[in-house]
Amino acid sequence: MTETVLQVDHVSKVIGKKTILHDVSLSVERGEIFGLLGPNGSGKTTLIRTVVGLIKETEGTIIVNGFPLKEQFTSAMKSIGAIIENPEFYDYLTGYQNLKHFANMHEGITSERLDEVIALVKLENSIHAKVKTYSLGMRQRLGVAQAILHKPALLLLDEPTNGLDPAGMREFRTYLQTLCREEGISILIASHLLKEVEALCDRVGIIQDGELKAIQDLSPNRQDQGMYVEFELSDAQKAADLLSQEFEVTMRSHIIDVAIVKEQIPAVNRKLVDSDILVYRITPVYETLEDSFMSVTEGEHHA
């Protein structure tokens, strides 16, 4: 049974006459990386700031690790680690001194925990160097180390790969996936980079003009979401006529695309063979995140 770490129910935010968030609902499960994908101005940062209490929602409820944000704010905040925009440090101090300074603000963070987190983000060789000598990627990793020192249940990241080169982005992805696996932490990451979200996240919510338009499963074991099946056949027209009364079918040359779930493939194949149609190839095809993003945002204004 999955455990919900973040529950956002019907959250709206209105400033003056402008609705920044409109009836947003989503959940993030234990050990999951959930992406919030949308263009600049879509409401991603507003939602994250609302979850961490920097902005107060106009309507709706937010529950973090079982604690309602309105009623048990302090307990909810203890369950969160966050990097909003760029992590800030004292450049004249070493990485270790920065972490130690932050650890002193919390109870119970031992030197063993400091060493554990430093190893987790692979900063052992540079942790005693001054932060002013750090690359952007190293600063991001130090920021993650700082955010998870107190063992939060939920890590919130707002555009964390901004400014990183492709190698740095790939390296950062690896650290986040390791966090989920080894710390059991859940991550909510806001980004406008479609490929980055697709490579990193288990699920993604597409947000546009303050509305959550769709949630798509990106995990490798996803079943039938956005799926259709290509059949390469000896007689595509006959097959299309045969199946179109029961399924949504499109035809192109010797191939038909059939909107079915995985469990229906054997029965459809048998029906084609029984009708003397030769089946040369059967290929399940999943809708990509780009397909989904374009279908729900097409023709709308991108702020």
Side-chain angles (χ1 to χ4, degrees), residues 31-178:
E32 175 182 38
I33 303 180
F34 188 100
L36 201 57
L37 177 67
N40 294 331
S42 60
K44 304 185 302 297
T45 297
T46 299
L47 181 58
I48 284 187
R49 287 177 174 269
T50 303
V51 172
V52 298
L54 295 175
I55 295 175
K56 184 174 176 57
E57 66 275 16
T58 305
E59 294 180 358
T61 59
I62 297 172
I63 300 174
V64 181
N65 206 27
F67 300 108
L69 196 62
K70 290 178 183 176
E71 292 82 7
Q72 296 175 275
F73 181 82
T74 301
S75 296
M77 288 302 100
K78 286 180 179 178
S79 300
I80 291 177
I83 301 177
I84 309 298
E85 298 175 346
N86 295 320
E88 296 293 336
F89 303 105
Y90 296 105
D91 281 356
Y92 58 87
L93 298 179
T94 67
Y96 190 89
Q97 288 169 330
N98 271 278
L99 290 183
K100 184 66 176 173
H101 177 72
F102 186 79
N104 290 337
M105 302 178 190
H106 295 266
E107 295 180 359
I109 298 179
T110 64
S111 57
E112 288 79 14
R113 176 58 180 171
L114 279 167
D115 292 339
E116 181 183 7
V117 167
I118 291 165
L120 195 61
V121 298
K122 301 280 192 297
L123 280 176
E124 303 99 313
N125 295 332
S126 52
I127 196 64
H128 295 294
K130 290 186 177 181
V131 169
K132 66 182 179 182
T133 67
Y134 280 22
S135 67
L136 180 58
M138 291 166 66
R139 282 176 172 266
Q140 293 290 66
R141 283 187 273 151
L142 187 63
V144 170
Q146 175 179 288
I148 65 171
L149 269 176
H150 60 297
K151 294 189 175 180
L154 177 67
L155 177 62
L156 302 173
L157 303 172
D158 186 18
E159 302 282 1
T161 59
N162 271 359
L164 295 182
D165 59 25
M169 292 169 73
R170 185 172 185 174
E171 187 178 66
F172 194 66
R173 282 203 307 267
T174 301
Y175 298 131
L176 295 183
Q177 290 163 340
T178 301

Side-chain angles (χ1 to χ4, degrees), residues 4-288:
T4 300
V5 173
L6 172 65
Q7 185 71 48
V8 176
D9 282 326
H10 303 289
V11 167
S12 295
K13 177 62 182 177
V14 180
I15 300 177
K17 294 183 179 180
K18 186 173 182 180
T19 300
I20 310 299
L21 295 174
H22 179 68
D23 197 32
V24 174
S25 295
L26 59 83
S27 63
V28 180
E29 309 304 325
R30 176 77 63 188
E32 175 182 38
I33 303 180
F34 188 100
L36 201 57
L37 177 67
N40 294 331
S42 60
K44 304 185 302 297
T45 297
T46 299
L47 181 58
I48 284 187
R49 287 177 174 269
T50 303
V51 172
V52 298
L54 295 175
I55 295 175
K56 184 174 176 57
E57 66 275 16
T58 305
E59 294 180 358
T61 59
I62 297 172
I63 300 174
V64 181
N65 206 27
F67 300 108
L69 196 62
K70 290 178 183 176
E71 292 82 7
Q72 296 175 275
F73 181 82
T74 301
S75 296
M77 288 302 100
K78 286 180 179 178
S79 300
I80 291 177
I83 301 177
I84 309 298
E85 298 175 346
N86 295 320
E88 296 293 336
F89 303 105
Y90 296 105
D91 281 356
Y92 58 87
L93 298 179
T94 67
Y96 190 89
Q97 288 169 330
N98 271 278
L99 290 183
K100 184 66 176 173
H101 177 72
F102 186 79
N104 290 337
M105 302 178 190
H106 295 266
E107 295 180 359
I109 298 179
T110 64
S111 57
E112 288 79 14
R113 176 58 180 171
L114 279 167
D115 292 339
E116 181 183 7
V117 167
I118 291 165
L120 195 61
V121 298
K122 301 280 192 297
L123 280 176
E124 303 99 313
N125 295 332
S126 52
I127 196 64
H128 295 294
K130 290 186 177 181
V131 169
K132 66 182 179 182
T133 67
Y134 280 22
S135 67
L136 180 58
M138 291 166 66
R139 282 176 172 266
Q140 293 290 66
R141 283 187 273 151
L142 187 63
V144 170
Q146 175 179 288
I148 65 171
L149 269 176
H150 60 297
K151 294 189 175 180
L154 177 67
L155 177 62
L156 302 173
L157 303 172
D158 186 18
E159 302 282 1
T161 59
N162 271 359
L164 295 182
D165 59 25
M169 292 169 73
R170 185 172 185 174
E171 187 178 66
F172 194 66
R173 282 203 307 267
T174 301
Y175 298 131
L176 295 183
Q177 290 163 340
T178 301
L179 273 183
C180 287
R181 185 174 63 250
E182 296 188 9
E183 294 268 302
I185 199 169
S186 304
I187 300 176
L188 175 63
I189 178 169
S191 178
H192 67 283
L193 301 175
L194 189 148
K195 294 299 182 184
E196 188 66 16
V197 168
E198 191 165 32
L200 177 62
C201 299
D202 301 300
R203 289 189 301 144
V204 60
I206 299 172
I207 190 168
Q208 174 82 353
D209 296 329
E211 293 186 46
L212 193 65
K213 299 291 189 177
I215 294 178
Q216 184 167 342
D217 185 2
L218 301 178
S219 59
N221 61 348
R222 68 190 186 274
Q223 293 293 311
D224 306 314
Q225 180 175 323
M227 174 178 166
Y228 64 91
V229 179
E230 290 183 351
F231 291 86
E232 185 177 352
L233 308 161
S234 60
D235 192 335
Q237 185 62 62
K238 182 179 178 180
D241 294 340
L242 179 68
L243 299 176
S244 59
Q245 292 182 354
E246 189 176 353
F247 304 102
E248 180 183 334
V249 179
T250 56
M251 186 179 72
R252 45 195 174 90
S253 186
H254 297 295
I255 295 173
I256 61 169
D257 298 329
V258 187
I260 55 176
V261 297
K262 182 174 65 176
E263 289 75 15
Q264 294 173 308
I265 294 175
V268 169
N269 182 53
R270 191 178 306 113
K271 191 170 188 176
L272 293 168
V273 172
D274 289 346
S275 300
D276 297 324
I277 299 171
L278 301 179
V279 180
Y280 301 125
R281 178 172 58 88
I282 301 174
T283 308
V285 179
Y286 292 93
E287 184 179 57
T288 67

